Amino acid sequence: MWSTTEGLRAIKSCKEHELKPDLLLLDMSSEGIQGPSVCRSIRRFDGRIMILAMTSFSINYYTSAVKLSGAQGIVSKNDEDDLLKAICRVLLSNPSHQ
């Protein structure tokens, strides 16, 4: 498990085999590169990593960009219960986690 506030570091970490996550919680306001661009970059080399976008801003602002970028969903990070439910929903939608 790893964490970073930098979009480029997230992309690099997802490329490195031993650090590749099953689920990436991706903040839409990451440093350097915004979340949708990070997601698109990851999708260019890996379609299996589950990506859940998160934001403290309006979900509606990012919904379209998240869908186009290849993420499995978006959730507000202001509500821990919603965040946990969204994580479970994304993981359960992945056949390798059932």
Side-chain angles (χ1 to χ4, degrees), residues 84-96:
L84 181 58
K85 288 175 189 174
I87 290 169
C88 291
R89 193 169 44 249
V90 168
L91 287 175
L92 290 174
S93 72
N94 184 349
S96 68

Side-chain angles (χ1 to χ4, degrees), residues 16 23 36 61 80:
E16 297 173 2
L23 172 64
Y61 181 78
E80 290 180 19

Side-chain angles (χ1 to χ4, degrees), residues 22-24 43 48-52 72 90-91 93-94:
D22 292 329
L23 172 64
L24 177 65
R43 286 293 173 245
R48 295 176 302 169
I49 296 173
M50 305 298 284
I51 300 175
L52 179 60
Q72 278 66 45
V90 168
L91 287 175
S93 72
N94 184 349

Side-chain angles (χ1 to χ4, degrees), residues 11 14 25 33 37 39 50 55 70 72 75 80 82 85 92 98:
I11 294 166
C14 286
L25 299 176
I33 301 176
S37 295
C39 186
M50 305 298 284
T55 186
Q72 278 66 45
V75 65
E80 290 180 19
D82 283 348
K85 288 175 189 174
L92 290 174
Q98 295 180 1

